[in-house]
């Protein structure tokens, strides 16, 4: 499978995640404006992939020969919750005094590092899972998409599934559909099908019931920002999953690259939560499903307190747990 986001020599290429699974489309983005638009409409998404997008946005800014720092800020501010976006921008921007080629080299380094880092993080997380579960084919539960499509390559939380699958230790994966944009049903299910991993899609609201019936051995999720104390911001619905998992004694494991850890953020209370377009909730498949004038609360993320998490795992090891 090709990289989710890459550099062709004169453009950023991305797999357009808004049209999967019906269509596999690759887009070429040649301006900062095009990249920012793709980030905001979730054509490219997932914390590690956004880190690469941030760095490549600085590359595009240097080639436009305008105010590079101002354009870089546009990229960094495209989505406020995922720390990797501003991390990628900052890392590439630090090379600006050395010239455009140095900026490009740094962005390409981030691309090359991503698969290795997430492969290692998910390998370590797989061992954490096996420390808390019986060594038999496991029933895993995933939320949103933390696979290949959320990274440059390989995946974070879904990368754990790939590791366990090669060892014959996956019975099936319960895939939360993940409202309102169905990143689970559209993207995670597509990745699992491509990899030949058995799965079932469930409504987000069915997760607690599945745990109560003994259908879940472990919950695996990614992260968009991890505070210094181990609180985790992730796709809306993660907090509720963690509460249900704690109640039912199900291990809850977070997997992310260390670039997702925001050491300047003491705890989750200070994490800015992005609120998205009400239309994502008021309509479904292009059809309006709510009364005219309905008010909407549509946060893209929530914060899970560290006390509810079994372990947060990065490529550097267990952050907490």
């Amino acid at each position: 499978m090709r990289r989710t986001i890459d550099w062709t020599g004169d453009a950023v290429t991305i797999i357009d995640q808004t049209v999967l699974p019906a269509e596999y489309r690759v887009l070429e983005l040649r301006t900062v404006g095009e990249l920012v638009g793709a980030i905001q409409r979730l054509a490219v998404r997932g914390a590690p992939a956004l880190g690469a997008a941030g760095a490549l946005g600085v590359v595009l800014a240097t080639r436009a020969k305008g105010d590079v720092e101002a354009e870089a800020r546009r990229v960094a501010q495209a989505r406020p919750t995922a720390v990797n976006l501003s991390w990628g921008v900052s890392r590439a921007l630090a090379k600006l005094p050395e010239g455009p080629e140095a900026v490009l080299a740094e962005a390409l380094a981030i691309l090359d590092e991503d698969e290795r880092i997430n492969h290692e993080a998910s390998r370590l997380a797989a061992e954490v899972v096996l420390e808390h579960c019986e060594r038999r084919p496991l029933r895993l539960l995933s939320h949103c998409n933390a696979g290949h499509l959320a990274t440059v390559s390989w995946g974070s939380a879904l990368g754990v599934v790939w590791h366990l699958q090669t060892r014959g230790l996956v019975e099936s994966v319960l895939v939360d559909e993940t409202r309102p944009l169905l990143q689970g049903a559209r993207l995670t299910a597509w990745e699992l099908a491509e990899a030949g991993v058995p799965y079932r899609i469930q409504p987000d609201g069915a997760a607690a019931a599945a745990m109560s019936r003994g259908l879940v051995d472990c919950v695996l999720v990614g992260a968009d920002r991890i505070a210094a104390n181990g609180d985790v911001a992730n796709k809306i619905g993660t907090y509720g999953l963690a509460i249900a998992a704690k109640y039912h004694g199900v291990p809850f494991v977070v997997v992310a690259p260390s670039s997702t850890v925001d050491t300047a953020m003491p705890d989750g209370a200070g994490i800015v939560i992005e609120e998205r377009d009400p239309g994502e909730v008021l309509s479904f498949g292009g059809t309006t499903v709510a009364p005219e004038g309905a008010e909407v609360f549509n946060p893209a993320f929530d914060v899970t307190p560290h006390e509810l998490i079994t372990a947060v795992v990065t490529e550097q090891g267990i952050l907490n747990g």
Side-chain angles (χ1 to χ4, degrees):
M1 187 178 289
R2 67 178 295 151
R3 284 177 165 179
T4 300
I5 181 167
D6 209 348
W7 176 254
T8 63
D10 60 358
V12 177
T13 61
I14 63 168
I15 298 172
D16 185 352
Q17 298 185 41
T18 65
V19 295
L20 284 169
E23 181 183 350
Y24 186 92
R25 177 193 300 165
V26 176
L27 301 179
E28 290 192 350
L29 312 172
R30 299 180 183 277
T31 69
V32 168
E34 289 175 348
L35 178 63
V36 168
I39 292 169
Q40 291 179 333
R41 66 185 181 85
L42 307 188
V44 59
R45 45 149 296 280
L50 289 177
L56 289 172
V58 180
V59 173
L60 292 176
T62 64
R63 298 196 165 213
K65 303 186 186 304
D67 187 336
V68 175
E69 294 193 3
E71 290 294 88
R73 285 194 295 272
R74 282 183 65 197
V75 177
Q77 295 167 1
R79 297 191 71 193
T81 304
V83 70
N84 301 67
L85 182 57
S86 58
W87 168 86
V89 168
S90 296
R91 185 166 156 181
L93 201 57
K95 296 295 183 179
L96 186 60
E98 300 174 33
E101 291 309 309
V103 173
L104 175 59
E106 190 71 4
L108 295 179
I110 290 174
L111 291 170
D112 291 339
E113 289 169 10
D114 182 82
E115 181 172 6
R116 174 183 59 80
I117 287 172
N118 285 292
H119 192 281
E120 179 63 8
S122 55
R123 183 190 71 80
L124 293 173
E127 295 306 316
V128 170
V129 170
L130 293 177
E131 289 173 5
H132 289 85
C133 300
E134 296 180 24
R135 286 182 177 262
R136 57 167 172 75
L138 299 171
R139 287 113 12 117
L140 306 168
L141 189 152
S142 78
H143 189 66
C144 196
N145 173 261
H148 170 270
L149 292 168
T151 65
V152 175
S153 188
W154 184 257
S156 55
L158 211 56
V160 179
V161 176
W162 312 145
H163 282 293
L164 293 174
Q165 174 74 357
T166 61
R167 298 164 68 175
L169 293 174
V170 176
E171 178 180 313
S172 63
V173 180
L174 269 177
V175 179
D176 277 359
E177 61 177 352
T178 319
R179 286 285 297 145
L181 295 182
L182 306 180
Q183 289 98 321
R186 293 190 303 105
L187 306 179
T188 296
W190 180 77
E191 288 196 50
L192 291 167
E194 291 286 303
V197 177
Y199 70 91
R200 289 191 292 173
I201 299 170
Q202 66 178 0
D204 292 359
M211 293 181 205
S212 74
R213 294 176 58 183
L215 300 178
V216 181
D217 296 310
C218 185
V219 178
L220 296 168
V221 299
D224 288 88
R225 189 181 298 248
I226 302 168
N229 73 335
D231 293 349
V232 170
N234 193 52
K235 178 64 182 177
I236 187 70
T238 303
Y239 181 25
L241 273 180
I243 292 171
K246 189 76 169 180
Y247 180 82
H248 292 101
V250 175
F252 187 94
V253 178
V254 178
V255 191
S258 58
S259 55
T260 308
V261 180
D262 185 357
T263 56
M265 186 69 64
D267 55 52
I271 297 175
V272 176
I273 300 298
E274 172 189 357
E275 292 207 25
R276 295 188 58 79
D277 184 350
E280 294 175 349
V281 176
L282 296 174
S283 64
F284 191 85
T287 300
T288 300
V289 295
E292 184 177 352
E295 296 292 327
V296 171
F297 175 53
N298 186 22
F301 307 96
D302 55 26
V303 175
T304 300
H306 65 276
E307 296 92 345
L308 298 176
I309 298 170
T310 304
V312 175
V313 187
T314 76
E315 80 281 4
Q316 297 176 357
I318 299 174
L319 178 67
N320 76 325

